[in-house]
Amino acid sequence: MVGNEALGRLDRVKVIIFGVGGVGGWTAETLVRTGITHLTIVDADCVAVSNINRQMPALATTVGQVKVEVVKRRLLDINPEADITAIHGLYTASTAGDYDLADYDYVIDAIDSLADKALLILNATEAMRGGHTKFYSSMGAALKMDPSRIAVAEFWKVKGCPLAAALRRKFKKSECFPSHKFKCVYSDELVPNHPGYQPFSTDSASSGPDDTAMTFNKVATNGSLMHITSVFGITLASLVIRDVCAR
């Protein structure tokens, strides 16, 4: 469908994904199934019971396991020759220096934490200035029901997404702005949690009782479903695939 030349480029490019939960895990699988072989995945979480409704690595048999290691095993089952680097850690102000974002052709943000997401956006858009690196970001996938409303837009043109609005407020307050335009996957839909909903943890997309979920400074407990998170993740992957094939 894409031709040998595009397949060759897919085989050569280097991609890094920050966050392999509800959105990023599906991004990683889509990329590897479509020919990406050099992939770095970064996440500090372990698989939790509440992840099973929507996350690629989450199974009854993987609960409690390090998420990036589960994802890596699955990706190598898809392509045993893939070059997969799994980093069990966070992207924060104290770890950002460990990553040379300009070394990658594509940087993908699927982070939940507002502060860490904002930092990655600033650093990744700075890396874009060299002209080699491209950056794509996922906005909020929680509290959505209709996958037909998932869309792609430049960050400052995203409408109806509370996470995008919070990021823009943060940038304006700090007077520190992304140095390059970048595309986001988002939805303008906002469905409230079901009346009477009682969160069991502070996992940003918890779906039930869970004593293994990590919070990582997430500020809310909001429901999310696989038919939304997977489409977010696959759409992110499509931005990479279409860009590589269009070159």
Side-chain angles (χ1 to χ4, degrees):
M1 181 173 176
V2 302
N4 289 334
E5 185 179 348
L7 281 175
R9 290 197 297 272
L10 287 166
D11 183 60
R12 292 190 296 272
V13 297
K14 295 174 62 178
V15 182
I16 186 167
I17 303 174
F18 291 93
V20 290
V23 171
W26 300 111
T27 304
E29 176 158 336
T30 303
L31 289 174
V32 170
R33 286 188 184 275
T34 314
I36 295 291
T37 58
H38 302 289
L39 180 63
T40 298
I41 52 176
V42 184
D43 198 302
D45 210 348
C46 293
V47 177
V49 172
S50 67
N51 301 156
I52 293 174
N53 80 313
R54 70 197 183 282
Q55 296 194 13
M56 181 268 269
L59 304 169
T61 55
T62 62
V63 170
Q65 296 181 24
V66 173
K67 200 170 288 184
V68 289
E69 295 298 336
V70 177
V71 173
K72 180 177 180 177
R73 289 198 303 270
R74 181 173 175 87
L75 298 180
L76 290 175
D77 269 350
I78 295 167
N79 181 3
E81 297 182 358
D83 170 28
I84 310 296
T85 300
I87 299 175
H88 183 215
L90 291 170
Y91 187 87
T92 65
S94 62
T95 64
D98 298 337
Y99 301 93
D100 182 5
L101 300 181
D103 188 46
Y104 296 90
D105 298 284
Y106 298 93
V107 177
I108 298 177
D109 158 41
I111 293 176
D112 289 333
S113 164
L114 181 67
D116 298 341
K117 193 177 197 73
L119 178 65
L120 178 58
I121 288 171
L122 292 175
N123 290 340
T125 54
E126 182 63 29
M128 292 176 72
R129 292 164 68 96
H132 168 72
T133 301
K134 292 203 171 182
F135 172 61
Y136 303 121
S137 179
S138 171
M139 296 293 104
L143 303 179
K144 319 291 183 186
M145 284 293 289
D146 183 356
S148 71
R149 291 173 66 170
I150 297 170
V152 176
E154 196 278 320
F155 173 68
W156 294 101
K157 295 182 179 179
V158 170
K159 304 296 183 184
C161 174
L163 179 55
L167 286 165
R168 288 193 290 259
R169 287 194 300 270
K170 185 174 180 64
F171 292 140
K172 290 174 182 177
K173 183 177 180 179
S174 66
E175 297 185 342
C176 187
F177 297 95
S179 57
H180 201 286
K181 292 182 178 180
F182 63 97
K183 291 181 179 179
C184 300
V185 179
Y186 77 102
S187 169
D188 63 359
E189 183 183 26
L190 190 60
V191 179
N193 281 313
H194 195 276
Y197 168 72
Q198 294 294 324
F200 292 89
S201 78
T202 52
D203 179 20
S204 67
S206 179
S207 62
D210 185 5
D211 60 0
T212 59
M214 296 182 175
T215 62
F216 301 128
N217 301 316
K218 298 170 188 175
V219 298
T221 306
N222 293 320
S224 59
L225 299 169
M226 179 182 164
H227 70 279
I228 299 296
T229 61
S230 60
V231 176
F232 263 73
I234 292 167
T235 304
L236 276 173
S238 80
L239 293 173
V240 174
I241 294 162
R242 286 182 288 155
D243 187 72
V244 171
C245 293
R247 292 191 181 188

